Amino acid sequence: MTGDERPVLDSRPDFHRATLELKCAGLNDAQLRRASAEPSSLTPPGPVQHLAEVERNRFQRVLAGRDVPPPYGEGTGYALDPGRGLAEALADRRRETALGREPTAGRPPDDTGRITDGPMAGREAGPRWLLIHLIEEHARHNGHADILRERIDGVTGA
């Protein structure tokens, strides 16, 4: 919990990634597909898929400048396709995490990339902002996963 800025910024998303996986662990397929906090249609794998999109957008598109499509097409990624399960969603998120580490490796926190679309299109963003935003996104969605999991089977914590 002390040290240089970059190792701290790099380690916090890993903590949140692992936490989200724990919140999905032990649920059967029917439970994973259950939207348990009405009126929301969000299911436990929804945040996993959404965060795969966030990692792709922030690191491959913004920081590396790669022209890559969204991992789930033009949708939000929150809905789990009937032909896919948690294992596939986690594999997608892990792949995007691994691919996202490449453009940030060795780059100073003040370096910049450019946001290509959405309401902030054209603005510059650097590794520091992108990693802080990733931490915020994970923390927010871990909170959602807490609620979903508790409503499904009463499990809290992790």
Side-chain angles (χ1 to χ4, degrees), residues 2-158:
T2 64
D4 292 336
E5 174 186 26
R6 191 51 186 266
V8 172
L9 287 174
D10 286 337
S11 70
R12 295 314 294 165
D14 287 337
F15 168 80
H16 285 291
R17 290 175 186 115
T19 299
L20 184 56
E21 289 193 26
L22 284 173
K23 293 183 185 307
C24 294
L27 294 173
N28 64 39
D29 192 63
Q31 290 170 319
L32 285 166
R33 295 177 190 282
R34 181 176 169 207
S36 62
E38 295 177 356
S40 174
S41 61
L42 186 63
T43 63
V48 174
Q49 293 184 147
H50 171 68
L51 291 165
E53 291 180 328
V54 169
E55 297 220 21
R56 177 177 282 196
N57 288 336
R58 301 303 184 263
F59 298 108
Q60 290 194 64
R61 296 179 83 204
V62 173
L63 201 55
R66 296 178 184 144
D67 184 18
V68 293
Y72 302 103
E74 295 303 318
T76 66
Y78 280 115
L80 188 59
D81 185 283
R84 295 169 43 87
L86 177 61
E88 290 88 358
L90 289 172
D92 291 344
R93 204 266 312 134
R94 290 175 184 144
R95 182 186 63 248
E96 293 305 326
T97 296
L99 290 169
R101 290 186 197 280
E102 178 189 314
T104 61
R107 287 180 83 161
D110 295 331
D111 202 359
T112 59
R114 189 164 304 280
I115 298 171
T116 58
D117 55 13
M120 295 192 295
R123 296 192 62 192
E124 288 185 335
R128 178 184 292 112
W129 185 88
L130 294 168
L131 287 165
I132 290 170
H133 182 259
L134 187 65
I135 293 164
E136 291 171 341
E137 281 280 316
H138 275 79
R140 177 181 310 118
H141 292 301
N142 277 338
H144 296 147
D146 277 335
I147 294 165
L148 296 171
R149 182 66 189 253
E150 186 173 6
R151 296 282 312 256
I152 290 169
D153 67 357
V155 171
T156 59

